[in-house]
Structure formats: C-alpha cells, structure tokens
Amino acid sequence: MTTTPPDAAARRGVAGRSLLIVAALAAAFASGMGIAQLSTAGPEHVVVDAWRAFGLIVFAGLFALVAWRPTSYPGLMELAFAHKVGMTLVGWSQLGDARDSWTALIFDGLLALALLVAYVLLGCHRAWRRPRAPQSAPAEALAGGRRKPSRAARKLQEGTSSSAPASGNSTGSDAGPGSGSTGDSTGGTTRGGGSDDPGRSGPQKPSR
C-alpha cells in the first residue's frame, strides 16, 4: 500500500519549525548553564553574565512563538537575526583576545544560520502584510436585501392581491346581475301584474 508524500509547503513548514524549536531549546539550555554559573562569577562579571543568561530565556521564548505562528510577529525574526549576526561578528573580531569569543562565534553563528533558513522556509516576510478587511458585513447586507419575506408577510400580500380583483368582480357582478334581476323581476312583476290583473292592464294612452 503506497501513501502520497506530504506537500512541499508542509515539508518546508515542518523543517522551519524544527529549526526554531532546536534554537529555542539551545537558547534555554545555554540560559540554564549561565544561571547556574552566576554563583561562581566574580563581582565584575556577575551583572553582565546575568544579563546574558536571562536574555537567552527571552530568545528561547521568541523562537518558540515564531515556531508557533511564523507570520504573526512582524520584525521579530529580523531583530533576532540581526542580534545573532552582530554577536557572531564581535566574537570573530575578538578571537583569542576576549573570553568566550569562540563560544559567541560558534553558538551565535549557528543560531544566525538557523534563523535565516527558518525565515526563508516559513515565509516570515508575510508577517508584514496588512490583514484584509473582513467581507462578512457587505455579504450579510446583500443577503439581507435579498432575504425572502416571512410567511405572514407573504400571506398578507396574497390576501391583498386577491381581495382587490375579487372586490371589483363582486361589485360588477352585484351591480350588473342585480340590476338585471331587479329589472327582470320588475318587468316580470309588471308583466305578471298585467297578466294576473287585467283590470289594471289596459291599453295605455299614447303620450302627447
């Protein structure tokens, strides 16, 4: 049974997030080591070492946040990359002269490379794009304009439309047949009266 390989975009996302998670774990480990060494640091280095140790905790949290939502924090990856590149250059320029120069060169250099690769794989530049305005309100307004009337409104419209012709027909029918029936009945009564009452029905005099 063969399975289809995952999408290329999904593979890039997994690789970028993995790099950021490794960077976050490395920064957290270095921070723990630095905090553990604060008790043995001299008075002239304790403040600087503490700043470095607690700063690495911040970097570990930032890497974890970007791994969670790569395109939600504009500028964060760029700032972290610039910091690591700067520390790498300082360590390279002070090789053999300053303490921990090799550590800064190797550790911060690898972190800068990992951040750059993760930045490209995850497309973190998309975090600078402005979010589009939601289109739900115009759609709802359009849908509301085309909404069908309720059942009571339809019944009221049907009753109004049917009552108008019915009233006209009933009036015409009542007037026409009624008058005709009235005329017929009157004529029938007259004719009937003439046939039933011969005394009253005689030859009428022509009008002058």
Side-chain angles (χ1 to χ4, degrees), residues 107-185:
F107 185 77
D108 291 320
L110 291 177
L111 274 180
L113 181 61
L115 290 178
L116 179 60
V117 175
Y119 185 89
V120 175
L121 291 177
L122 296 175
C124 296
H125 63 279
R126 292 177 296 176
W128 292 96
R129 297 179 181 177
R130 294 181 179 179
R132 297 181 179 179
Q135 302 294 332
S136 59
E140 291 177 358
L142 183 60
R146 297 181 179 178
R147 188 175 298 170
K148 295 181 179 180
S150 60
R151 183 179 299 177
R154 289 199 302 267
K155 287 184 178 180
L156 182 61
Q157 291 178 359
E158 291 175 359
T160 305
S161 60
S162 61
S163 62
S167 61
N169 295 335
S170 62
T171 305
S173 59
D174 292 339
S179 59
S181 60
T182 305
D184 294 339
S185 61

Side-chain angles (χ1 to χ4, degrees), residues 22-189:
V22 171
L25 293 176
F29 177 77
S31 175
M33 294 293 294
I35 293 174
Q37 294 176 359
L38 288 178
S39 59
T40 60
E44 66 276 6
H45 299 293
V46 64
V47 175
V48 176
D49 291 345
W51 181 87
R52 184 174 182 271
F54 290 112
L56 288 173
I57 292 180
V58 176
F59 274 99
L62 295 180
F63 297 155
L65 287 176
V66 177
W68 179 36
R69 292 183 178 179
T71 59
S72 299
Y73 307 99
L76 193 149
M77 284 287 285
E78 289 84 353
L79 290 175
F81 178 74
H83 180 274
K84 295 308 172 185
V85 169
M87 290 299 300
T88 303
L89 294 176
V90 170
W92 177 73
S93 64
Q94 299 295 326
L95 283 178
D97 297 333
R99 190 187 67 168
D100 295 335
S101 57
W102 279 104
T103 303
L105 177 62
I106 296 173
F107 185 77
D108 291 320
L110 291 177
L111 274 180
L113 181 61
L115 290 178
L116 179 60
V117 175
Y119 185 89
V120 175
L121 291 177
L122 296 175
C124 296
H125 63 279
R126 292 177 296 176
W128 292 96
R129 297 179 181 177
R130 294 181 179 179
R132 297 181 179 179
Q135 302 294 332
S136 59
E140 291 177 358
L142 183 60
R146 297 181 179 178
R147 188 175 298 170
K148 295 181 179 180
S150 60
R151 183 179 299 177
R154 289 199 302 267
K155 287 184 178 180
L156 182 61
Q157 291 178 359
E158 291 175 359
T160 305
S161 60
S162 61
S163 62
S167 61
N169 295 335
S170 62
T171 305
S173 59
D174 292 339
S179 59
S181 60
T182 305
D184 294 339
S185 61
T186 305
T189 304

